Amino acid sequence: HNINMGKLAVYKYISMMFIIIQFVLSIFTLVGLWGGSVPPAGNTAMAMLVYILPMLIIANTVMLAYWLVRRHWIISIFPLLTILFCIPYIGTIYQPGNQPADDETGHGIKIATYNVASFGRETSGFMAQDILSEMKKHHVDVLCMQEYSDISGDKLNSNSYKDYFPYMATGNRDMVIYSKYPIGKKKNIPFDETNNSAMWAYIDVNGKTIRIFNVHLETTGFNRTMHRVAKLERNGIRVENNNIISAIYDNYTLGMIIRSGQATTVTNERQQSPVPSIVCGDFNDVPYSYVYNTMLSGMVDGFKECGNGWMQTYRGKKAVRIDYIFHDKAFKGISYYTKELTYSDHKPVFMQIEI
């Protein structure tokens, strides 16, 4: 009899622990969903939850299965509601349906954004040529590049791009917009104390003027931290794991705060535009973050509108979506997709837009 009482006590204790875990999970997930609605300065812990939302959603799904198997119907409502709240977020990284065959109906214009990582710093110019032939294959009309480099050996990439893209606008040295359509006025938007920047240019598409923003926001600092650690360890200096974690956390939070200011600068600039805009580039931040929400302000996320499958644009260890194309509500998206190219640590993003 005592043994049964003991078993029951243990069972109740374990059940209680699981219920507590469920409540904590649900709260963390919901806070993560709202984490991007407050500026990260002073709210870094809340802002960081946005980065682990996919893991929190998976954990809630596992817990939902657990409660259903145990037939705890009432408690299973909590993970279920939590997951339902996450559906709009899930829509920023996954859309049902098959990858469309690239829409070549010819109406609208084809935009591409690509962080080309300085063409791998190679000097032959072959990589820039390969990328150009990819852009031709996808019938790209306007190409925004970040981390662009014009010099390949003794020739300029811009000379070889001229035949296909007769018009070109440069911002800071590593930012360029290539276009088949005439480019009018342009403006560089430098950011303080950083090499990153944004730019915009007016493009005349068959008599209709639109403004295209090319944006490259502050990096996360993750790779930089890991390079530094590797360098120290090569020199025989051992770095404690908790020091690495705190360095990564500090870099991430600093990056978040810097990016949020840059995103506000770009959005203020866009909101003053007298003509409809398209904003694209490498935002170095995930969907639902403060940066994503600020950049989106009243615009349409092309992937949510007409993309499908899983959307990841970074090819490194972190399979995340950090490159985007947004457009004003005056336009309509036709197709949105990415391509697995090996030239950079980013994938290019393509979008066909009816304007």
Side-chain angles (χ1 to χ4, degrees):
H1 182 69
N2 282 350
I3 292 172
N4 284 347
M5 290 292 287
K7 273 186 178 169
L8 194 65
V10 169
Y11 173 73
K12 280 190 158 166
Y13 174 75
I14 291 172
S15 281
M16 201 61 216
M17 285 306 295
F18 268 94
I19 290 169
I20 292 167
I21 290 168
Q22 178 60 64
F23 278 114
V24 169
L25 256 181
S26 288
I27 289 165
F28 270 43
T29 310
L30 297 174
V31 170
L33 287 175
W34 295 109
S37 53
V38 291
N43 301 295
T44 50
M46 193 170 166
M48 284 303 256
L49 283 174
V50 177
Y51 292 89
I52 59 165
L53 271 174
M55 288 180 264
L56 291 170
I57 293 168
I58 291 165
N60 275 291
T61 310
V62 170
M63 291 301 273
L64 176 61
Y66 171 79
W67 297 122
L68 291 176
V69 167
R70 301 305 301 255
R71 299 178 170 229
H72 286 295
W73 309 125
I74 292 179
I75 298 170
S76 68
I77 291 169
F78 288 98
L80 182 65
L81 283 175
T82 307
I83 294 164
L84 289 175
F85 271 118
C86 292
I87 287 173
Y89 163 76
I90 294 166
T92 63
I93 49 176
Y94 176 78
Q95 286 288 332
N98 298 321
Q99 191 77 22
D102 177 22
D103 187 289
E104 284 320 335
T105 45
H107 60 311
I109 61 167
K110 189 69 158 287
I111 310 270
T113 178
Y114 197 7
N115 179 328
V116 292
S118 309
F119 299 115
R121 296 201 162 69
E122 55 117 66
T123 51
S124 61
F126 285 134
M127 199 182 283
Q129 287 309 305
D130 284 353
I131 289 170
L132 176 61
S133 61
E134 273 301 324
M135 296 303 149
K136 287 179 182 170
K137 207 159 65 188
H138 291 270
H139 308 279
V140 172
D141 297 306
V142 178
L143 168 62
C144 294
M145 287 194 198
Q146 307 86 40
E147 292 191 33
Y148 170 81
S149 160
D150 203 21
I151 296 161
S152 291
D154 51 3
K155 55 189 186 298
L156 297 180
N157 290 325
S158 47
N159 287 339
S160 54
Y161 275 51
K162 252 209 297 271
D163 290 339
Y164 184 74
F165 293 113
Y167 305 98
M168 170 190 183
T170 44
N172 262 10
R173 56 195 165 74
D174 64 334
M175 300 287 284
V176 66
I177 298 174
Y178 279 111
S179 172
K180 283 182 169 182
Y181 296 102
I183 292 179
K185 189 182 161 203
K186 61 164 194 176
K187 182 179 176 184
N188 181 28
I189 307 167
F191 301 135
D192 299 337
E193 288 118 37
T194 170
N195 294 328
N196 295 59
S197 68
M199 65 178 292
W200 59 256
Y202 283 130
I203 295 183
D204 179 342
V205 182
N206 305 326
K208 190 170 186 179
T209 302
I210 62 171
R211 189 188 274 194
I212 304 253
F213 281 80
N214 182 10
V215 179
H216 187 203
L217 302 182
E218 190 69 22
T219 47
T220 56
F222 177 81
N223 294 349
R224 237 194 343 262
T225 308
M226 296 320 282
H227 284 318
R228 255 192 230 130
V229 169
K231 198 170 174 183
L232 288 170
E233 301 212 317
R234 274 201 305 275
N235 297 334
I237 300 163
R238 196 154 154 28
V239 186
E240 295 291 326
N241 276 348
N242 52 359
N243 289 348
I244 296 174
I245 290 165
S246 78
I248 288 172
Y249 185 83
D250 291 346
N251 261 323
Y252 252 97
T253 50
L254 181 64
M256 268 189 319
I257 293 163
I258 294 171
R259 276 195 300 282
S260 65
Q262 296 169 346
T264 305
T265 303
V266 173
T267 300
N268 289 343
E269 187 78 31
R270 171 179 66 77
Q271 285 169 340
Q272 291 162 15
S273 173
V275 297
S277 302
I278 294 168
V279 175
C280 57
D282 170 8
F283 300 175
N284 268 312
D285 223 324
V286 295
Y288 265 56
S289 62
Y290 182 79
V291 165
Y292 172 91
N293 292 341
T294 304
M295 294 296 287
L296 192 59
S297 309
M299 296 191 96
V300 179
D301 177 341
F303 175 68
K304 283 193 91 162
E305 178 187 28
C306 57
N308 38 31
W310 291 99
M311 180 49 66
Q312 298 152 347
T313 67
Y314 187 68
R315 294 180 59 246
K317 288 189 181 74
K318 312 184 292 292
V320 287
R321 179 185 181 207
I322 56 176
D323 304 81
Y324 303 87
I325 301 175
F326 295 163
H327 65 79
D328 264 327
K329 288 179 176 147
F331 306 141
K332 183 178 174 295
I334 299 167
S335 67
Y336 189 108
Y337 62 97
T338 177
K339 197 89 182 98
E340 183 60 69
L341 300 180
T342 55
Y343 306 115
S344 160
D345 52 353
H346 291 253
K347 298 178 191 176
V349 178
F350 300 91
M351 185 173 186
Q352 183 94 11
I353 304 179
E354 207 173 319
I355 61 168

